[in-house]
Amino acid sequence: MHTLQISIYVLGFLIALALLFDFMNGFHDAANAIATVVSTGVLKPQTAVAMAAVFNVIAIFFFQLKVASTVGKGTVDPAIVDHYVVFGALVGAIFWNVLTWYYGIPSSSSHALIGGLVGAAVAKAGTGSLISSGLIKTISFIVLSPLLGFVFGSIMMVLVSWLFVRSTPRRIDKWFRRMQLVSASMYSLGHGGNDAQKTMGIIWMLLIAAGASSAQDQMPPWWVIISCYTAIGLGTLFGGWRIVKTMGQKITKLKPVGGFCAETGGAITLFLASALGIPVSTTHTITGAIVGVGSARKMSAVRWGVAGNIVWAWILTIPASAFVAAIAWWIGTKIL
């Protein structure tokens, strides 16, 4: 494999840019893990964010690095990856994340990154540079992850309703206010485990291209792993509140029991995806689970107009980030 000739300054700049994306990922997606626990009044926002950040970071001890491997080696041909491609991919992903955060739209940081990689790679080497098997796996889960979240969220809601059919509403509320702490923690663990690995994959890809890491290695260097988990944890700690409102209040009204079922359904989906090495969207997953919980009560409990706007953002994420990445790739060839 051809080794890039790039300066240590450019390499350091791109690694810093990747960690900035990881920080933005935590910042943008903090709402996913804590929206329900905040909107149901179980925790104050500051406490919820701190808890989510801690579980994002300790995910390092629970998951293998299959997602990092898929992003680093299984999306685009590693032979065409250079510092311009990585620059374009990161700029495209960060641009889309900032735009959707500003408008309070819970889009996917994961698919913004995949879209960025695809756009920069196609701009450099055409569609032949794409690895179809990895992309098909990722794109198919754009549809499957919210569906799985929907199914698991609905099943949890039906099960809980059946198990607590003889309990009073007050007792149910008291019980699930506590249980929601567990479900929110599990979801934060799944978020850290799946999302932090995507940035690891990008940095790993860059290090392999620059000859600083071997393509035969089974995992990225430890300093990459620790840096990525720390960056996403810090991003979560500073997380924005615009998306919390959409996730926790606009899609459907949630009580603690509904929040518990949505987070548990979403966490099950994330654990499955991380075990299979699939970079799914944590945003799609929890949104599907929230809609599933609302639908299990009654279909009219879901504000389908809000849900429809979110789906449009999902559809646009990969093409929009790919387009910006292609332009950024061209700019990168002029300035780096």
Side-chain angles (χ1 to χ4, degrees):
M1 182 177 169
H2 176 68
T3 301
L4 292 178
Q5 298 298 318
I6 59 176
S7 72
I8 189 70
Y9 301 107
V10 172
L11 184 61
F13 167 71
L14 291 175
I15 291 172
L17 194 63
L19 291 176
L20 174 64
F21 168 78
D22 207 22
F23 178 89
M24 284 298 304
N25 192 340
F27 187 89
H28 188 280
D29 291 359
N32 298 343
I34 63 168
T36 61
V37 82
V38 170
S39 65
T40 55
V42 172
L43 286 180
K44 293 180 179 177
Q46 293 85 352
T47 311
V49 164
M51 183 191 74
V54 169
F55 278 90
N56 273 180
V57 174
I58 66 171
I60 190 173
F61 301 110
F62 291 88
F63 295 99
Q64 294 182 336
L65 300 172
K66 291 182 180 178
V67 175
S69 184
T70 299
V71 174
K73 300 178 182 177
T75 306
V76 300
D77 182 0
I80 66 99
V81 173
D82 58 15
H83 47 309
Y84 306 126
V85 170
V86 172
F87 175 76
L90 289 170
V91 170
I94 290 171
F95 170 82
W96 186 250
N97 261 3
V98 171
L99 186 71
T100 52
W101 167 82
Y102 181 80
Y103 286 104
I105 300 170
S107 71
S108 167
S109 301
S110 314
H111 295 145
L113 186 59
I114 299 292
L117 268 178
V118 168
V122 170
K124 179 185 178 185
T127 54
S129 60
L130 306 180
I131 297 176
S132 57
S133 58
L135 283 174
I136 289 171
K137 188 164 67 169
T138 301
I139 291 171
S140 62
F141 266 77
I142 291 178
V143 178
L144 287 176
S145 64
L147 282 180
L148 287 173
F150 180 92
V151 169
F152 286 130
S154 304
I155 291 174
M156 285 299 302
M157 195 66 200
V158 171
L159 275 177
V160 166
S161 301
W162 181 71
L163 288 172
F164 288 83
V165 68
R166 299 185 185 281
S167 299
T168 63
R170 185 176 179 183
R171 187 176 172 220
I172 292 174
D173 192 71
K174 183 179 178 182
W175 177 253
F176 281 98
R177 287 177 78 84
R178 295 170 184 164
M179 289 298 291
Q180 219 185 336
L181 297 176
V182 178
S183 61
S185 302
M186 292 301 100
Y187 193 82
S188 299
L189 198 68
H191 175 219
N194 201 285
D195 273 18
Q197 290 193 39
K198 293 155 191 164
T199 307
M200 279 180 220
I202 289 288
I203 296 177
W204 192 12
M205 180 189 288
L206 181 64
L207 293 176
I208 291 172
S213 183
S214 169
Q216 309 307 319
D217 290 345
Q218 296 299 310
M219 56 188 288
W222 268 101
W223 66 265
V224 175
I225 298 170
I226 294 169
S227 300
C228 289
Y229 275 113
T230 304
I232 199 169
L234 287 173
T236 299
L237 200 59
F238 289 93
W241 302 106
R242 292 171 185 269
I243 297 172
V244 169
K245 195 173 179 182
T246 303
M247 299 286 284
Q249 297 175 6
K250 288 187 178 178
I251 296 175
T252 187
K253 293 288 184 185
L254 286 173
K255 293 182 178 178
V257 61
F260 169 81
C261 292
E263 285 161 352
T264 305
I268 292 171
T269 307
L270 289 183
F271 290 174
L272 282 174
S274 296
L276 294 172
I278 301 168
V280 298
S281 164
T282 53
T283 311
H284 294 192
T285 304
I286 192 65
T287 305
I290 291 173
V291 172
V293 166
S295 302
R297 287 189 288 142
K298 56 179 181 178
M299 294 299 283
S300 60
V302 178
R303 292 173 181 164
W304 294 102
V306 175
N309 290 338
I310 293 171
V311 170
W312 272 114
W314 294 354
I315 293 171
L316 289 173
T317 294
I318 287 183
S321 55
F323 178 72
V324 175
I327 296 173
W329 170 83
W330 180 79
I331 295 172
T333 60
K334 306 298 178 188
I335 63 173
L336 291 178

